[in-house]
Amino acid sequence: MARLQNIFLPIISAGTLLCVFSCEVFTTPLITRVRDESGYVQSASTKELVESLDSFTGDSDRTAAVLTELSKRNQSEIEKLSVAAKESVLAAAADTLLPVNVLTTTVNEALAAGSNIDFTSLSDGLLGSTIQVPTGAVETILNDTQVLESADAYILSLSAAAVVVSVLQQETTGGKNVADTLQQIQTAVKSGSVDSLTQEGFAPESITSLKTAVHTGSVLLGIAGDGEPNRRADTDKLSFGDFKFGTFLNDFLGQDDVSGNSATGAGTDADGNNASTIGQWAETREAGI
């Protein structure tokens, strides 16, 4: 097994950003050996597709093709994958739907203005820079209790945020305003009734996707209840100065029990070290380190 070091952790505090990459994946032959990649994606087994994701690092089109195919597969095949393999799928979705250049721009703007992250601006940037990717397989994995209990908290947060991005893509097709759509989502989440979005014209599939993202956020905040995993202790560790990365997903959703994140102030990481600057983070992310 090799270490996938492509998971990014935007952690802002005092004008700083730290990225942590960590996810178990498999070392696999490159799919570029296959002449007809489209044919390969359709004919390869589910396990082979997942094992191939690492060879597509940095290639959003190829990664999207695999994620699209995985969403078409019998989801029982996805459920049988190991937690490490499932993390690879979550990581690929986050990598594809949350491109580093857009995050960097949004964060820099927040730092310059001394304000919180503008999630409307972030959403505009993401929707203008990414291709549409079905997240059916991602949602299957995020609904796996074992994954919620043991998968990396960074990956859970970012991949669930990717699901929200996918919903925004779907619901703004045809010119619907992104800011209004995000506001509708946040209002519904705060009221505890995502189903109310039906009255706003949201597709049933979008509502189901949002419920998965909200549930993941609840697990990360430790408020899911009913015997569900409580990852609050993990997310609380993802804090750098005034910025709590553990609430990134919940800030995006407008979920309750979220205090908001400031992009200003001085900050160190959990070990007391100076956090990397956003420029260093972006360079590291783009280099695939």
Side-chain angles (χ1 to χ4, degrees):
M1 267 191 221
R3 298 289 297 180
L4 174 61
Q5 299 175 331
N6 257 352
I7 301 304
F8 46 88
L9 167 61
I11 300 178
I12 315 153
S13 167
T16 62
L17 188 67
L18 176 71
C19 177
V20 175
F21 307 88
S22 104
C23 176
E24 290 284 350
V25 294
F26 303 97
T27 300
T28 59
L30 293 177
I31 288 185
T32 50
R33 296 176 183 175
V34 182
R35 293 181 179 179
D36 185 351
E37 290 181 359
S38 176
Y40 175 85
V41 168
Q42 294 177 15
S43 62
S45 69
T46 296
K47 182 180 179 181
E48 289 171 337
L49 286 176
V50 174
E51 291 177 347
S52 299
L53 282 171
D54 193 30
S55 65
F56 283 169
T57 297
D59 190 328
S60 59
D61 288 334
R62 292 180 174 181
T63 301
V66 173
L67 291 172
T68 299
E69 180 62 27
L70 288 175
S71 292
K72 296 177 181 178
R73 296 293 173 93
N74 187 321
Q75 294 303 289
S76 65
E77 297 179 14
I78 305 296
E79 294 170 353
K80 294 176 183 177
L81 296 171
S82 68
V83 171
K86 290 173 181 176
E87 281 188 329
S88 295
V89 177
L90 298 183
D95 195 23
T96 304
L97 288 165
L98 301 173
V100 64
N101 62 313
V102 178
L103 288 172
T104 301
T105 298
T106 302
V107 168
N108 272 331
E109 290 174 349
L111 293 174
S115 63
N116 295 338
I117 295 176
D118 183 342
F119 281 96
T120 297
S121 175
L122 175 60
S123 299
D124 278 328
L126 292 173
L127 269 61
S129 303
T130 60
I131 55 180
Q132 290 196 348
V133 180
T135 56
V138 175
E139 293 167 45
T140 293
I141 294 170
L142 288 176
N143 284 311
D144 185 319
T145 300
Q146 186 179 11
V147 170
L148 291 175
E149 288 178 340
S150 59
D152 189 282
Y154 302 118
I155 299 173
L156 291 175
S157 181
L158 291 171
S159 59
V163 170
V164 180
V165 171
S166 180
V167 169
L168 285 171
Q169 288 177 329
Q170 296 295 327
E171 293 301 324
T172 57
T173 299
K176 186 177 179 181
N177 185 274
V178 174
D180 291 344
T181 304
L182 181 59
Q183 182 62 54
Q184 289 172 333
I185 291 173
Q186 292 179 335
T187 298
V189 172
K190 286 179 180 179
S191 70
S193 180
V194 175
D195 285 321
S196 66
L197 290 171
T198 299
Q199 301 171 10
E200 305 291 344
F202 279 61
E205 295 80 8
S206 293
I207 293 174
T208 298
S209 298
L210 287 172
K211 286 182 177 179
T212 296
V214 169
H215 180 66
T216 302
S218 295
V219 167
L220 292 172
L221 286 175
I223 59 175
D226 296 326
E228 291 295 299
N230 180 348
R231 300 296 297 273
R232 186 58 181 256
D234 297 311
T235 56
D236 282 347
K237 294 177 182 178
L238 310 186
S239 299
F240 286 68
D242 293 331
F243 183 86
K244 296 180 179 180
F245 176 74
T247 68
F248 176 81
L249 168 63
N250 306 93
D251 287 339
F252 194 5
L253 286 167
Q255 199 160 3
D256 288 339
D257 198 21
V258 175
S259 60
N261 286 315
S262 172
T264 61
T268 58
D269 64 21
D271 297 319
N273 303 313
N274 290 332
S276 301
T277 65
I278 187 167
Q280 292 172 323
W281 168 74
E283 290 174 2
T284 300
R285 177 70 186 87
E286 290 172 348
I289 298 174

